[in-house]
Amino acid sequence: MASTDYDVLVDMGFDKERATLAVKKSGGLQGALEWLEETQDKPLEELVRTPAPVQDDDDPNAEPPALGVGEEAHSLVCADCGKKFRSEAQASFHGAKSGHLNFEESTEEIASLTEEEKKAKLAELREKLAAKRSTMSEQDKIDKKKNEDIRKKSTKESQDIKEDLQKKEQIKEAAAKRREKVAEVAAKEKIRAKIAADKEERRLKAEKEKAARDGRAPPVPAAAPPAATTSGPISSKPASAYTETRLRLQTTNGNVQKSFPVDTTLFEVAAALGEESGFQAQSFVQNYPKKIFDQIDFGQTLKELGLVPSASLIVR
C-alpha cells in the first residue's frame, strides 16, 4: 500500500499528533509541511483548540483532501492538466476545484518521496517561509516608522497648540494686570486731586475768615493756567505725558519699526514681533544706556522700563 501524507510526515520525524493535525488542517503534503513550519513554536494544546481553516470552494489551486485511514491508493491522471492522483477522492476534489472532467486510470504507481526529496521539499518550503517572514518584517518596519511619524507630528501639533494657548493666556493676564495698574493709578490720582482740592478750599476759607476779622476784602482765587494752544511755541513734553512710544527692533531677519501704547508690556511687544516677523524674542538689549531686558522684565510696561517716547532695542 502506498504511503499516505500522514506516513510521509511521520517518516520525516514529525510527532504523530502534530502530523495528524497538519493533515486535517491543510489537506495536502505541501500545506501540511507549511502548517508545521508555521506552528513549530506553538504548544500542542493550543493547536488542538484552534479550529481548522475553512476550505475555499472557489480556489482551483487548493490541495485535495487527505486519504482516509485504510483507504487504498489508486493512480489516476487528469487528461486536461496531467496531474496524477492516488485515489478517486483526490481526483474528484481536483475536478471540483479546477473544472477538469477528463480522468484516466493509470498503471503507474505514485511513488513516495525519497529521503532526499523530502529534505529538498522541506528546505524549499522553509526558504519560502523565511522569504515571506522577511517581507512581512520589512513591511512591519515601514508601518512602524509611519506610525511613529504620525505620532511625532500629532505630538508636535498638540505641543504647538498648547504653547499658543499659554501665550494667549499670558497676554490676557498681562493686559488684565495693566488695566488694574492703570485703574489703580487713576484712583490714586483722583484721591490726590480730592485731597488737594479740599486743602485749597480750607485755605481759602481760613483766609476769608481772617480778612473778615481784619475788615479787608476777601482774596481772589488764583485763575487756572490757560490751556496750551497749537498757535504758541511748542515745548518738549516730559516722558510721563506721552501715550505712545516708537520702538526700533533690530533682529537677525532685519529691522522692525513699530509704535506701541506706553502701557504695553514687553511680553506683548515680543508676541507682536513674533506674529509679524516669526522671530521669537528671548531678551532685548539697549545699547545706551546699556540695559538688558530678559524674561523677568517681560511683565513690565514700556513706560516702567523707561522706553518712552522712543527706543532702539536689539532682539535676541
PDB file of all heavy atoms in Angstrom, residues 231-260:
ATOM      1  N   SER A 231      -1.063 127.338  18.479  1.00  0.00           N
ATOM      2  CA  SER A 231      -0.532 128.537  17.837  1.00  0.00           C
ATOM      3  C   SER A 231       0.724 129.039  18.531  1.00  0.00           C
ATOM      4  O   SER A 231       1.520 129.749  17.940  1.00  0.00           O
ATOM      5  CB  SER A 231      -1.601 129.653  17.821  1.00  0.00           C
ATOM      6  OG  SER A 231      -1.999 129.954  19.156  1.00  0.00           O
ATOM      7  N   GLY A 232       0.901 128.652  19.797  1.00  0.00           N
ATOM      8  CA  GLY A 232       2.053 129.121  20.533  1.00  0.00           C
ATOM      9  C   GLY A 232       3.267 128.246  20.291  1.00  0.00           C
ATOM     10  O   GLY A 232       3.215 127.248  19.573  1.00  0.00           O
ATOM     11  N   PRO A 233       4.379 128.591  20.878  1.00  0.00           N
ATOM     12  CA  PRO A 233       5.595 127.795  20.711  1.00  0.00           C
ATOM     13  C   PRO A 233       5.432 126.423  21.363  1.00  0.00           C
ATOM     14  O   PRO A 233       4.810 126.289  22.403  1.00  0.00           O
ATOM     15  CB  PRO A 233       6.682 128.631  21.410  1.00  0.00           C
ATOM     16  CG  PRO A 233       5.915 129.487  22.384  1.00  0.00           C
ATOM     17  CD  PRO A 233       4.593 129.780  21.746  1.00  0.00           C
ATOM     18  N   ILE A 234       6.000 125.412  20.710  1.00  0.00           N
ATOM     19  CA  ILE A 234       5.901 124.035  21.186  1.00  0.00           C
ATOM     20  C   ILE A 234       7.070 123.723  22.097  1.00  0.00           C
ATOM     21  O   ILE A 234       8.224 123.917  21.725  1.00  0.00           O
ATOM     22  CB  ILE A 234       5.879 123.053  20.003  1.00  0.00           C
ATOM     23  CG1 ILE A 234       4.675 123.355  19.100  1.00  0.00           C
ATOM     24  CG2 ILE A 234       5.846 121.614  20.492  1.00  0.00           C
ATOM     25  CD1 ILE A 234       4.642 122.513  17.849  1.00  0.00           C
ATOM     26  N   SER A 235       6.749 123.299  23.314  1.00  0.00           N
ATOM     27  CA  SER A 235       7.808 122.937  24.262  1.00  0.00           C
ATOM     28  C   SER A 235       7.873 121.424  24.367  1.00  0.00           C
ATOM     29  O   SER A 235       6.882 120.722  24.159  1.00  0.00           O
ATOM     30  CB  SER A 235       7.528 123.565  25.634  1.00  0.00           C
ATOM     31  OG  SER A 235       6.277 123.112  26.126  1.00  0.00           O
ATOM     32  N   SER A 236       9.018 120.896  24.713  1.00  0.00           N
ATOM     33  CA  SER A 236       9.200 119.449  24.841  1.00  0.00           C
ATOM     34  C   SER A 236       8.398 118.940  26.027  1.00  0.00           C
ATOM     35  O   SER A 236       8.345 119.572  27.081  1.00  0.00           O
ATOM     36  CB  SER A 236      10.685 119.137  25.031  1.00  0.00           C
ATOM     37  OG  SER A 236      11.160 119.780  26.187  1.00  0.00           O
ATOM     38  N   LYS A 237       7.754 117.763  25.825  1.00  0.00           N
ATOM     39  CA  LYS A 237       6.918 117.192  26.880  1.00  0.00           C
ATOM     40  C   LYS A 237       7.735 116.227  27.726  1.00  0.00           C
ATOM     41  O   LYS A 237       8.666 115.585  27.235  1.00  0.00           O
ATOM     42  CB  LYS A 237       5.732 116.451  26.250  1.00  0.00           C
ATOM     43  CG  LYS A 237       4.793 117.342  25.459  1.00  0.00           C
ATOM     44  CD  LYS A 237       3.556 116.564  25.032  1.00  0.00           C
ATOM     45  CE  LYS A 237       3.903 115.458  24.061  1.00  0.00           C
ATOM     46  NZ  LYS A 237       2.687 114.749  23.582  1.00  0.00           N
ATOM     47  N   PRO A 238       7.369 116.094  28.980  1.00  0.00           N
ATOM     48  CA  PRO A 238       8.035 115.075  29.805  1.00  0.00           C
ATOM     49  C   PRO A 238       7.598 113.680  29.346  1.00  0.00           C
ATOM     50  O   PRO A 238       6.564 113.504  28.700  1.00  0.00           O
ATOM     51  CB  PRO A 238       7.536 115.385  31.220  1.00  0.00           C
ATOM     52  CG  PRO A 238       6.226 116.070  31.014  1.00  0.00           C
ATOM     53  CD  PRO A 238       6.381 116.867  29.742  1.00  0.00           C
ATOM     54  N   ALA A 239       8.385 112.648  29.715  1.00  0.00           N
ATOM     55  CA  ALA A 239       8.097 111.283  29.286  1.00  0.00           C
ATOM     56  C   ALA A 239       6.737 110.819  29.782  1.00  0.00           C
ATOM     57  O   ALA A 239       6.050 110.041  29.123  1.00  0.00           O
ATOM     58  CB  ALA A 239       9.192 110.340  29.797  1.00  0.00           C
ATOM     59  N   SER A 240       6.317 111.345  30.941  1.00  0.00           N
ATOM     60  CA  SER A 240       5.038 110.917  31.509  1.00  0.00           C
ATOM     61  C   SER A 240       3.855 111.422  30.703  1.00  0.00           C
ATOM     62  O   SER A 240       2.735 110.936  30.859  1.00  0.00           O
ATOM     63  CB  SER A 240       4.920 111.406  32.955  1.00  0.00           C
ATOM     64  OG  SER A 240       5.024 112.824  33.008  1.00  0.00           O
ATOM     65  N   ALA A 241       4.084 112.407  29.800  1.00  0.00           N
ATOM     66  CA  ALA A 241       2.982 112.983  29.035  1.00  0.00           C
ATOM     67  C   ALA A 241       2.701 112.209  27.755  1.00  0.00           C
ATOM     68  O   ALA A 241       1.668 112.426  27.116  1.00  0.00           O
ATOM     69  CB  ALA A 241       3.287 114.446  28.697  1.00  0.00           C
ATOM     70  N   TYR A 242       3.573 111.314  27.366  1.00  0.00           N
ATOM     71  CA  TYR A 242       3.388 110.571  26.114  1.00  0.00           C
ATOM     72  C   TYR A 242       2.462 109.381  26.339  1.00  0.00           C
ATOM     73  O   TYR A 242       2.471 108.740  27.395  1.00  0.00           O
ATOM     74  CB  TYR A 242       4.731 110.072  25.579  1.00  0.00           C
ATOM     75  CG  TYR A 242       5.595 111.165  24.992  1.00  0.00           C
ATOM     76  CD1 TYR A 242       6.502 111.865  25.791  1.00  0.00           C
ATOM     77  CD2 TYR A 242       5.495 111.501  23.647  1.00  0.00           C
ATOM     78  CE1 TYR A 242       7.291 112.864  25.263  1.00  0.00           C
ATOM     79  CE2 TYR A 242       6.285 112.511  23.107  1.00  0.00           C
ATOM     80  CZ  TYR A 242       7.183 113.187  23.921  1.00  0.00           C
ATOM     81  OH  TYR A 242       7.961 114.178  23.399  1.00  0.00           O
ATOM     82  N   THR A 243       1.650 109.118  25.328  1.00  0.00           N
ATOM     83  CA  THR A 243       0.751 107.948  25.378  1.00  0.00           C
ATOM     84  C   THR A 243       1.231 106.819  24.466  1.00  0.00           C
ATOM     85  O   THR A 243       0.734 105.694  24.560  1.00  0.00           O
ATOM     86  CB  THR A 243      -0.673 108.347  24.952  1.00  0.00           C
ATOM     87  OG1 THR A 243      -0.640 108.887  23.617  1.00  0.00           O
ATOM     88  CG2 THR A 243      -1.244 109.377  25.915  1.00  0.00           C
ATOM     89  N   GLU A 244       2.161 107.111  23.582  1.00  0.00           N
ATOM     90  CA  GLU A 244       2.723 106.103  22.680  1.00  0.00           C
ATOM     91  C   GLU A 244       4.243 106.234  22.645  1.00  0.00           C
ATOM     92  O   GLU A 244       4.794 107.310  22.913  1.00  0.00           O
ATOM     93  CB  GLU A 244       2.181 106.258  21.252  1.00  0.00           C
ATOM     94  CG  GLU A 244       0.798 105.692  21.045  1.00  0.00           C
ATOM     95  CD  GLU A 244       0.428 105.615  19.575  1.00  0.00           C
ATOM     96  OE1 GLU A 244       1.152 106.178  18.723  1.00  0.00           O
ATOM     97  OE2 GLU A 244      -0.598 104.983  19.275  1.00  0.00           O
ATOM     98  N   THR A 245       4.882 105.110  22.339  1.00  0.00           N
ATOM     99  CA  THR A 245       6.336 105.122  22.162  1.00  0.00           C
ATOM    100  C   THR A 245       6.672 104.396  20.870  1.00  0.00           C
ATOM    101  O   THR A 245       5.962 103.451  20.461  1.00  0.00           O
ATOM    102  CB  THR A 245       7.033 104.444  23.350  1.00  0.00           C
ATOM    103  OG1 THR A 245       8.451 104.515  23.166  1.00  0.00           O
ATOM    104  CG2 THR A 245       6.641 102.978  23.461  1.00  0.00           C
ATOM    105  N   ARG A 246       7.727 104.832  20.227  1.00  0.00           N
ATOM    106  CA  ARG A 246       8.149 104.239  18.951  1.00  0.00           C
ATOM    107  C   ARG A 246       9.417 103.428  19.192  1.00  0.00           C
ATOM    108  O   ARG A 246      10.413 103.954  19.689  1.00  0.00           O
ATOM    109  CB  ARG A 246       8.395 105.323  17.911  1.00  0.00           C
ATOM    110  CG  ARG A 246       8.696 104.778  16.517  1.00  0.00           C
ATOM    111  CD  ARG A 246       8.652 105.885  15.480  1.00  0.00           C
ATOM    112  NE  ARG A 246       8.880 105.384  14.145  1.00  0.00           N
ATOM    113  CZ  ARG A 246       7.944 104.812  13.388  1.00  0.00           C
ATOM    114  NH1 ARG A 246       6.722 104.671  13.880  1.00  0.00           N
ATOM    115  NH2 ARG A 246       8.234 104.372  12.171  1.00  0.00           N
ATOM    116  N   LEU A 247       9.333 102.141  18.809  1.00  0.00           N
ATOM    117  CA  LEU A 247      10.459 101.234  19.020  1.00  0.00           C
ATOM    118  C   LEU A 247      11.080 100.839  17.691  1.00  0.00           C
ATOM    119  O   LEU A 247      10.371 100.594  16.706  1.00  0.00           O
ATOM    120  CB  LEU A 247      10.005  99.966  19.758  1.00  0.00           C
ATOM    121  CG  LEU A 247       9.429 100.145  21.165  1.00  0.00           C
ATOM    122  CD1 LEU A 247       9.067  98.783  21.742  1.00  0.00           C
ATOM    123  CD2 LEU A 247      10.417 100.871  22.061  1.00  0.00           C
ATOM    124  N   ARG A 248      12.404 100.785  17.699  1.00  0.00           N
ATOM    125  CA  ARG A 248      13.154 100.253  16.549  1.00  0.00           C
ATOM    126  C   ARG A 248      13.786  98.938  17.006  1.00  0.00           C
ATOM    127  O   ARG A 248      14.681  98.940  17.848  1.00  0.00           O
ATOM    128  CB  ARG A 248      14.237 101.230  16.109  1.00  0.00           C
ATOM    129  CG  ARG A 248      15.019 100.774  14.874  1.00  0.00           C
ATOM    130  CD  ARG A 248      15.933 101.899  14.396  1.00  0.00           C
ATOM    131  NE  ARG A 248      16.685 101.518  13.221  1.00  0.00           N
ATOM    132  CZ  ARG A 248      17.894 100.950  13.237  1.00  0.00           C
ATOM    133  NH1 ARG A 248      18.477 100.710  14.421  1.00  0.00           N
ATOM    134  NH2 ARG A 248      18.514 100.618  12.120  1.00  0.00           N
ATOM    135  N   LEU A 249      13.285  97.830  16.468  1.00  0.00           N
ATOM    136  CA  LEU A 249      13.691  96.499  16.910  1.00  0.00           C
ATOM    137  C   LEU A 249      14.620  95.881  15.878  1.00  0.00           C
ATOM    138  O   LEU A 249      14.247  95.681  14.712  1.00  0.00           O
ATOM    139  CB  LEU A 249      12.452  95.610  17.099  1.00  0.00           C
ATOM    140  CG  LEU A 249      11.383  96.182  18.045  1.00  0.00           C
ATOM    141  CD1 LEU A 249      10.131  95.327  18.014  1.00  0.00           C
ATOM    142  CD2 LEU A 249      11.941  96.296  19.458  1.00  0.00           C
ATOM    143  N   GLN A 250      15.861  95.594  16.284  1.00  0.00           N
ATOM    144  CA  GLN A 250      16.861  95.018  15.387  1.00  0.00           C
ATOM    145  C   GLN A 250      16.902  93.500  15.577  1.00  0.00           C
ATOM    146  O   GLN A 250      17.247  93.014  16.657  1.00  0.00           O
ATOM    147  CB  GLN A 250      18.241  95.620  15.669  1.00  0.00           C
ATOM    148  CG  GLN A 250      18.280  97.131  15.562  1.00  0.00           C
ATOM    149  CD  GLN A 250      19.654  97.688  15.918  1.00  0.00           C
ATOM    150  OE1 GLN A 250      20.682  97.086  15.603  1.00  0.00           O
ATOM    151  NE2 GLN A 250      19.667  98.837  16.581  1.00  0.00           N
ATOM    152  N   THR A 251      16.529  92.746  14.533  1.00  0.00           N
ATOM    153  CA  THR A 251      16.555  91.277  14.572  1.00  0.00           C
ATOM    154  C   THR A 251      17.501  90.756  13.502  1.00  0.00           C
ATOM    155  O   THR A 251      17.966  91.504  12.639  1.00  0.00           O
ATOM    156  CB  THR A 251      15.144  90.704  14.334  1.00  0.00           C
ATOM    157  OG1 THR A 251      14.772  90.918  12.959  1.00  0.00           O
ATOM    158  CG2 THR A 251      14.116  91.371  15.240  1.00  0.00           C
ATOM    159  N   THR A 252      17.767  89.469  13.571  1.00  0.00           N
ATOM    160  CA  THR A 252      18.623  88.842  12.551  1.00  0.00           C
ATOM    161  C   THR A 252      17.931  88.803  11.196  1.00  0.00           C
ATOM    162  O   THR A 252      18.595  88.619  10.170  1.00  0.00           O
ATOM    163  CB  THR A 252      18.984  87.411  12.978  1.00  0.00           C
ATOM    164  OG1 THR A 252      17.770  86.676  13.246  1.00  0.00           O
ATOM    165  CG2 THR A 252      19.839  87.423  14.232  1.00  0.00           C
ATOM    166  N   ASN A 253      16.605  88.980  11.188  1.00  0.00           N
ATOM    167  CA  ASN A 253      15.862  88.990   9.928  1.00  0.00           C
ATOM    168  C   ASN A 253      15.671  90.398   9.368  1.00  0.00           C
ATOM    169  O   ASN A 253      15.048  90.567   8.326  1.00  0.00           O
ATOM    170  CB  ASN A 253      14.475  88.357  10.137  1.00  0.00           C
ATOM    171  CG  ASN A 253      14.581  86.914  10.592  1.00  0.00           C
ATOM    172  OD1 ASN A 253      15.541  86.223  10.281  1.00  0.00           O
ATOM    173  ND2 ASN A 253      13.579  86.446  11.326  1.00  0.00           N
ATOM    174  N   GLY A 254      16.188  91.401  10.080  1.00  0.00           N
ATOM    175  CA  GLY A 254      16.026  92.781   9.633  1.00  0.00           C
ATOM    176  C   GLY A 254      15.482  93.657  10.755  1.00  0.00           C
ATOM    177  O   GLY A 254      15.241  93.204  11.872  1.00  0.00           O
ATOM    178  N   ASN A 255      15.310  94.946  10.453  1.00  0.00           N
ATOM    179  CA  ASN A 255      14.819  95.906  11.432  1.00  0.00           C
ATOM    180  C   ASN A 255      13.305  96.070  11.319  1.00  0.00           C
ATOM    181  O   ASN A 255      12.745  96.041  10.214  1.00  0.00           O
ATOM    182  CB  ASN A 255      15.494  97.266  11.249  1.00  0.00           C
ATOM    183  CG  ASN A 255      16.985  97.190  11.524  1.00  0.00           C
ATOM    184  OD1 ASN A 255      17.428  96.330  12.279  1.00  0.00           O
ATOM    185  ND2 ASN A 255      17.757  98.080  10.916  1.00  0.00           N
ATOM    186  N   VAL A 256      12.667  96.238  12.468  1.00  0.00           N
ATOM    187  CA  VAL A 256      11.219  96.456  12.524  1.00  0.00           C
ATOM    188  C   VAL A 256      10.965  97.708  13.348  1.00  0.00           C
ATOM    189  O   VAL A 256      11.442  97.822  14.482  1.00  0.00           O
ATOM    190  CB  VAL A 256      10.494  95.246  13.160  1.00  0.00           C
ATOM    191  CG1 VAL A 256       9.002  95.536  13.283  1.00  0.00           C
ATOM    192  CG2 VAL A 256      10.732  93.988  12.343  1.00  0.00           C
ATOM    193  N   GLN A 257      10.227  98.659  12.767  1.00  0.00           N
ATOM    194  CA  GLN A 257       9.850  99.876  13.488  1.00  0.00           C
ATOM    195  C   GLN A 257       8.353  99.834  13.735  1.00  0.00           C
ATOM    196  O   GLN A 257       7.564  99.640  12.809  1.00  0.00           O
ATOM    197  CB  GLN A 257      10.230 101.123  12.681  1.00  0.00           C
ATOM    198  CG  GLN A 257      11.737 101.328  12.569  1.00  0.00           C
ATOM    199  CD  GLN A 257      12.098 102.658  11.959  1.00  0.00           C
ATOM    200  OE1 GLN A 257      11.229 103.431  11.588  1.00  0.00           O
ATOM    201  NE2 GLN A 257      13.384 102.941  11.856  1.00  0.00           N
ATOM    202  N   LYS A 258       7.978 100.026  14.984  1.00  0.00           N
ATOM    203  CA  LYS A 258       6.571  99.878  15.353  1.00  0.00           C
ATOM    204  C   LYS A 258       6.274 100.765  16.562  1.00  0.00           C
ATOM    205  O   LYS A 258       7.113 100.944  17.434  1.00  0.00           O
ATOM    206  CB  LYS A 258       6.285  98.413  15.689  1.00  0.00           C
ATOM    207  CG  LYS A 258       4.826  98.021  15.614  1.00  0.00           C
ATOM    208  CD  LYS A 258       4.694  96.513  15.731  1.00  0.00           C
ATOM    209  CE  LYS A 258       3.247  96.062  15.608  1.00  0.00           C
ATOM    210  NZ  LYS A 258       2.712  96.315  14.261  1.00  0.00           N
ATOM    211  N   SER A 259       5.037 101.309  16.595  1.00  0.00           N
ATOM    212  CA  SER A 259       4.601 102.133  17.718  1.00  0.00           C
ATOM    213  C   SER A 259       3.684 101.321  18.621  1.00  0.00           C
ATOM    214  O   SER A 259       2.873 100.514  18.141  1.00  0.00           O
ATOM    215  CB  SER A 259       3.854 103.380  17.210  1.00  0.00           C
ATOM    216  OG  SER A 259       4.730 104.208  16.473  1.00  0.00           O
ATOM    217  N   PHE A 260       3.830 101.529  19.928  1.00  0.00           N
ATOM    218  CA  PHE A 260       3.024 100.823  20.928  1.00  0.00           C
ATOM    219  C   PHE A 260       2.539 101.818  21.965  1.00  0.00           C
ATOM    220  O   PHE A 260       3.208 102.821  22.247  1.00  0.00           O
ATOM    221  CB  PHE A 260       3.857  99.742  21.639  1.00  0.00           C
ATOM    222  CG  PHE A 260       4.344  98.642  20.747  1.00  0.00           C
ATOM    223  CD1 PHE A 260       5.611  98.719  20.164  1.00  0.00           C
ATOM    224  CD2 PHE A 260       3.559  97.522  20.491  1.00  0.00           C
ATOM    225  CE1 PHE A 260       6.069  97.704  19.349  1.00  0.00           C
ATOM    226  CE2 PHE A 260       4.015  96.503  19.680  1.00  0.00           C
ATOM    227  CZ  PHE A 260       5.270  96.596  19.104  1.00  0.00           C
TER     228      PHE A 260
END
